[in-house]
Amino acid sequence: MKKKTIIFTVCIVLLLAAIGIVTYMLMKEKKAHYSLNQEFVLDKNDLENEYYRFSKQYDEIKTTVKNDSLASLLDKEQQKSQRLLEELRSVKSTNATEIRRLRNELSTLRRVMVSYINQIDSLNQLTTRQRQQINDISAKYDVASKQINNLSEEKRSLSEKVTLAAQLDASNVWMEAKNKRGKTAKKVKDCVKFAVGFTISKNITAEPGMRTIYVRISKPDNAVLSDGGTFKFENREIPYSIKKSIEYRGEETPVTVYWDVKEFLYPGTYRVEIFAGNSMIGSSSFTLK
């Protein structure tokens, strides 16, 4: 009888120890999850602050502009930045893909603003004091851009935790303007076709098979070159320039696509974005003269 009592007591002790260990592990996991969510919230808050400061800086620039048409364009860009800020505020802090898209949108807005600053300077209608104000604002944008790049680098490992390990990645993105003879066009006015190329990186965890790739080419005014085709991205339909199906076997896969120019093009910065599996897998910008 005494032996059974001892065995029973030992079992109770072991059971209580097991419950304690499980409770400890659950608390530890909950704490880690909370910490990760807090990092997402901080990331989103930082981006919201960047958008807010960026929108307010339009007011500084507009005080130096005397050209009505240019002032109107600045108003439109400011409204766009405010609209994107509202989008960001409605996005969940854990939606890493949407936050990454909005961060890229902010980078595009900054490049557009810098181009407007250059136009303002070329009008030669500003006083020396006004030019100094523009230079100061440009310097602020350079500092902000470096801060965002550093933030992106610091948060990259965190973003990777919420993305699929099998997601494709496009690298070595390039774009070349072609003339009527199929050679490189030295000026954008001679361009009749765009050639866009990139490499789908090796990923042994990605499931092999046919993949649909969408390529978006955006003009300096952010309008997308498109024949009207759209694809679903983050629960909304967005236009694309080129659609291509490829067979992916987990190895490096070079891809080249072409876009026939059907409208007037002008010099400036053109952006190429590549999508697959409801994710943007690569992008780059190119300046055409």
Side-chain angles (χ1 to χ4, degrees):
M1 184 68 177
K2 186 177 181 180
K3 183 177 180 181
K4 290 183 179 180
T5 302
I6 293 173
I7 293 173
F8 179 75
T9 301
V10 170
C11 290
I12 292 298
V13 170
L14 291 176
L15 179 60
L16 292 174
I19 292 174
I21 292 172
V22 171
T23 302
Y24 171 76
M25 294 301 291
L26 289 175
M27 292 293 292
K28 185 176 181 181
E29 182 179 352
K30 183 177 180 180
K31 184 178 180 181
H33 181 70
Y34 175 79
S35 177
L36 183 62
N37 282 338
Q38 287 299 105
E39 290 191 53
F40 277 123
V41 171
L42 290 174
D43 189 17
K44 181 186 175 184
N45 289 342
D46 288 343
L47 187 57
E48 284 185 17
N49 291 334
E50 290 292 336
Y51 260 106
Y52 179 78
R53 289 194 294 268
F54 180 80
S55 179
K56 288 300 181 183
Q57 286 169 343
Y58 275 104
D59 295 327
E60 298 178 40
I61 296 178
K62 287 189 287 188
T63 61
T64 67
V65 176
K66 297 180 180 179
N67 184 283
D68 291 340
S69 61
L70 190 54
S72 177
L73 289 173
L74 287 170
D75 280 333
K76 291 180 180 179
E77 288 298 314
Q78 185 176 25
Q79 292 171 12
K80 182 176 181 179
S81 68
Q82 292 170 343
R83 176 176 57 79
L84 289 171
L85 175 58
E86 292 304 316
E87 284 187 30
L88 176 61
R89 286 171 175 167
S90 67
V91 170
K92 291 183 179 179
S93 60
T94 54
N95 192 336
T97 301
E98 188 66 9
I99 289 177
R100 183 170 61 250
R101 179 187 71 82
L102 290 168
R103 183 177 289 114
N104 290 334
E105 291 279 10
L106 181 59
S107 297
T108 300
L109 288 173
R110 183 170 291 106
R111 287 193 295 272
V112 172
M113 178 177 280
V114 170
S115 72
Y116 285 145
I117 292 172
N118 293 333
Q119 292 179 47
I120 294 170
D121 189 64
S122 68
L123 292 175
N124 200 25
Q125 297 177 356
L126 303 177
T127 64
T128 301
R129 180 165 175 258
Q130 289 172 322
R131 288 196 180 94
Q132 186 60 47
Q133 290 175 340
I134 295 298
N135 290 335
D136 290 344
I137 292 171
S138 297
K140 291 178 182 178
Y141 295 153
D142 290 339
V143 171
S145 180
K146 290 179 181 178
Q147 290 174 342
I148 289 176
N149 289 336
N150 291 337
L151 180 62
S152 298
E153 188 68 27
E154 292 171 3
K155 300 298 181 181
R156 181 176 299 173
S157 59
L158 185 62
S159 298
E160 289 174 352
K161 295 178 182 179
V162 294
T163 56
L164 295 175
Q167 180 177 302
L168 299 184
D169 181 63
S171 60
N172 302 322
V173 182
W174 57 269
M175 183 174 77
E176 189 177 60
K178 300 286 189 179
N179 59 24
K180 290 187 289 188
R181 293 175 295 177
K183 296 183 178 180
T184 301
K186 295 182 178 180
K187 296 182 178 180
V188 69
K189 67 182 182 65
D190 299 322
C191 176
V192 298
K193 178 181 292 188
F194 281 129
V196 177
F198 49 90
T199 299
I200 303 297
S201 303
K202 180 178 180 179
N203 186 346
I204 59 174
T205 64
E207 183 178 352
M210 298 302 295
R211 302 294 181 94
T212 300
I213 307 295
Y214 297 95
V215 177
R216 281 165 51 98
I217 304 173
S218 300
K219 298 188 294 184
D221 63 358
N222 294 326
V224 177
L225 298 175
S226 176
D227 284 330
T230 63
F231 68 102
K232 194 170 185 179
F233 178 70
E234 290 295 322
N235 296 321
R236 60 196 180 95
E237 294 291 328
I238 63 174
Y240 65 83
S241 305
I242 308 164
K243 172 183 177 182
K244 183 170 184 176
S245 295
I246 65 169
E247 184 176 1
Y248 183 68
R249 298 181 178 178
E251 301 293 332
E252 280 196 357
T253 305
V255 180
T256 303
V257 294
Y258 300 91
W259 169 261
D260 292 326
V261 175
K262 302 173 185 177
E263 58 188 273
F264 174 75
L265 301 178
Y266 46 91
T269 300
Y270 288 72
R271 183 172 177 80
V272 174
E273 297 174 322
I274 304 159
F275 295 79
N278 202 32
S279 298
M280 186 172 73
I281 64 173
S283 65
S284 190
S285 298
F286 304 91
T287 299
L288 301 179
K289 298 181 179 180

